[in-house]
């Protein structure tokens, strides 16, 4: 199955395949007008906010829509009063072939497609809207983001935890025609499963216990702007058809409500999962994947762009709050950074620098200011048990049971701290990595009075 729009990465080149839809009015009050779209859902009708607005009085407010899926384009009638026709046949839906004529009301239109292959070279600049990187891989990413931002294309941003997927989504919004509109973030892995639908689509008063009033969902809040669906791979399977319907219909219905509301929203989603694998496993819908991955952009891991470390360190230190004046790292620190694996990527690097700043007496980050767990990486044969053992010494003056309980408490707390930091504070990912239930993680966090790392 082919994607609607895709990006292909090569060592020095990236190509963007754009499939445009062209619709021309050939008969009716709006004859001579034409429209070109890169979007994959296009509405036709007489109301405001419609993609193809017509003045024909026989055209309904929301008359029809054109939906592009992987490998096909389909024209749907939206229960219009006067119908949608191909020739003399009134249709409910029909596949559109190139140069096919169709009629809405008394207005006749013709459909064509245009294809364009755009070669995207790495940008000359080593920064893009808060993202920095002089490496070829990052400058390629900047080139793709800069090209797709002004369109309304749906974007799927992939990459490991902490690579900067939200920064990339904000960059897309900032360089889009929606930059003055809202930018709303929704973390699909953070909301309780029983509240995700309400958070996304809103609810009516009395829809469920605790629904004491009407409340808009994030799609309504993002109307006229961009919604960023973080950790989209965490969305429960039973809610995926409802999200797909919103993406196709561009309208939402609140939980407990009977009326729909049109929303004008651009969707940018992100995941650290391989959604293609999730589709094969049956945990993610194939049709939703292709609706989201109109353009798919992968952010490289930090270990794939270690040449960017000096630039990143300077950038993060200059942007740190309460920096006492440390704006560089010693050669020993940079050597350690170059040899470290960085499982938490740029977020882990940033947290490491922030934790080091209060211990700096000069303008330089030195080895003694780094977190103990990172300094332990210096050892050619690190002993993961030795370092914690010093911090978890049993008190010989306590009875055995009390000393044992004390050690278990200390172990639980430190394990959770390290686990959550390694997974950027995402409880769902931390639970999977530790092979624990999400509720158990949450309960232990409450027990030890831990908050998610920022």
């Amino acid at each position: 199955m082919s994607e609607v729009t895709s990006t292909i990465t090569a060592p020095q080149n990236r190509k963007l395949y754009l499939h445009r839809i062209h619709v021309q009015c050939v008969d009716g009050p709006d004859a001579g007008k034409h429209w070109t779209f890169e979007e994959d859902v296009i509405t036709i009708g007489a109301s405001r906010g419609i993609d193809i607005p017509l003045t024909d009085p026989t055209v309904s407010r929301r008359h029809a829509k054109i939906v592009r899926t992987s490998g096909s384009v389909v024209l749907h009638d939206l229960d219009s009063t006067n119908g949608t026709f191909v020739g003399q046949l009134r249709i409910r839906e029909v596949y559109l072939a190139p140069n096919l004529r169709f009629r809405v009301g008394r207005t006749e239109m013709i459909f064509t497609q245009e294809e364009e292959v755009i070669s995207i070279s790495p940008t000359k600049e080593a920064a893009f809207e808060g993202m920095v990187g002089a490496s070829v891989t990052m400058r390629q990413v900047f080139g793709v983001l800069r090209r797709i931002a002004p369109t309304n294309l749906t974007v799927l941003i992939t990459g490991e935890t902490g690579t900067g997927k939200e920064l990339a989504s904000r960059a897309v919004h900032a360089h889009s025609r929606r930059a003055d509109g809202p930018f709303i973030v929704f973390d699909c892995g953070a909301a309780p499963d029983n509240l995700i639908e309400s958070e996304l689509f809103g609810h009516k008063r009395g829809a469920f216990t605790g629904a004491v009033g009407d409340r808009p969902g994030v799609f309504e809040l993002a109307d006229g702007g961009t919604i960023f669906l973080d950790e989209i791979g965490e969305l429960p399977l039973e809610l995926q058809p409802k999200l797909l319907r919103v993406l196709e219909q561009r309208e939402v219905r609140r939980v407990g409500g009977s009326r729909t509301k049109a929303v004008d929203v651009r969707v940018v989603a992100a995941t650290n999962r391989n959604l293609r694998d999730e589709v094969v496993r049956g945990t993610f819908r194939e049709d939703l994947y292709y609706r989201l991955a109109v353009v798919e952009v992968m952010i490289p891991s930090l270990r794939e762009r270690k040449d960017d470390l000096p630039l990143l360190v300077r950038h993060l230190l200059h942007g740190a709050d309460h920096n006492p004046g440390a704006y560089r790292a010693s050669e020993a620190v940079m050597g350690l950074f170059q040899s470290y694996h960085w499982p938490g990527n740029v977020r882990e690097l940033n947290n490491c620098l922030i934790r080091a700043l209060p211990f700096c007496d000069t303008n330089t980050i030195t080895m003694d200011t780094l977190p103990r767990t990172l300094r332990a990486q210096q050892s050619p044969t690190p002993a993961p048990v030795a370092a914690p053992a010093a911090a978890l010494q049993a008190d010989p003056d306590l009875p055995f049971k009390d000393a044992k309980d004390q050690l278990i408490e200390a172990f639980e707390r430190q394990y959770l701290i390290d686990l959550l930091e390694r997974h950027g504070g995402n409880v769902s990912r931390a639970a999977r990595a530790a092979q624990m239930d999400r509720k158990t993680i949450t309960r232990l966090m409450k027990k030890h009075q831990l908050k998610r790392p920022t």
Side-chain angles (χ1 to χ4, degrees), residues 374-390:
L374 188 60
R375 293 202 306 271
Q377 303 298 318
Q378 271 191 303
S379 171
T381 55
V385 178

Side-chain angles (χ1 to χ4, degrees), residues 97-307:
N99 301 313
L100 180 74
R101 291 176 178 248
F102 63 92
R103 193 171 76 254
V104 291
R106 288 197 294 268
T107 295
E108 188 172 5
M109 316 189 84
I110 186 169
F111 159 84
T112 56
Q113 285 196 94
E114 302 172 357
E115 296 190 3
E116 182 180 1
V117 180
I118 302 172
S119 293
I120 300 179
S121 302
T123 61
K124 294 180 180 179
E125 298 80 13
F128 184 62
E129 285 295 324
M131 306 175 72
V132 297
S135 60
V136 172
T137 54
M138 279 308 294
R139 289 187 292 112
Q140 283 178 332
V141 170
F142 298 160
V144 173
L145 295 177
R146 188 181 293 277
R147 176 62 185 83
I148 65 175
T151 73
N152 268 323
L153 294 171
T154 303
V155 182
L156 177 65
I157 302 174
T158 62
E160 296 179 6
T161 297
T163 49
K165 297 187 289 294
E166 183 173 338
L167 273 179
S169 71
R170 290 183 180 275
V172 169
H173 175 70
H175 284 257
S176 73
R177 297 189 293 267
R178 300 170 176 266
D180 294 332
F183 179 85
I184 304 295
V185 178
F186 181 76
D187 188 340
C188 299
D193 288 354
N194 62 329
L195 292 179
I196 290 180
E197 184 176 3
S198 169
E199 294 286 338
L200 282 171
F201 312 129
H203 63 252
K204 300 292 288 183
R205 178 181 179 183
F208 50 84
T209 302
V212 295
D214 293 357
R215 181 182 176 185
V218 290
F219 270 92
E220 287 186 59
L221 296 175
D223 192 28
T226 303
I227 186 170
F228 174 53
L229 299 176
D230 198 10
E231 300 306 334
I232 190 66
E234 305 286 344
L235 190 69
L237 189 60
E238 62 270 18
L239 286 180
Q240 292 177 21
K242 296 183 179 181
L243 176 59
L244 178 64
R245 192 175 306 118
V246 172
L247 297 181
E248 291 184 342
Q249 302 288 347
R250 300 295 171 174
E251 58 186 24
V252 295
R253 184 172 62 192
R254 294 183 181 182
V255 176
S258 57
R259 300 179 60 184
T260 60
K261 179 180 179 180
V263 288
D264 174 24
V265 174
R266 183 189 192 168
V267 175
V268 180
T271 182
N272 67 341
R273 296 191 187 189
N274 185 326
L275 290 189
R276 293 176 185 266
D277 290 345
E278 300 293 328
V279 168
V280 172
R281 281 194 287 266
T283 57
F284 202 85
R285 290 180 60 107
E286 183 178 43
D287 47 7
L288 179 57
Y289 168 72
Y290 282 110
R291 178 64 65 211
L292 292 168
V294 175
V295 176
E296 186 169 349
V297 182
M298 173 172 280
I299 310 297
S301 66
L302 183 52
R303 63 184 169 276
E304 295 174 290
R305 46 178 295 224
K306 285 190 175 180
D307 288 349

Side-chain angles (χ1 to χ4, degrees), residues 315-333:
H315 173 76
L316 294 172
L317 288 175
H318 276 86
D321 294 331
H322 311 297
N323 188 332
Y327 296 110
R328 60 182 299 271
S330 69
E331 289 187 11
V333 168

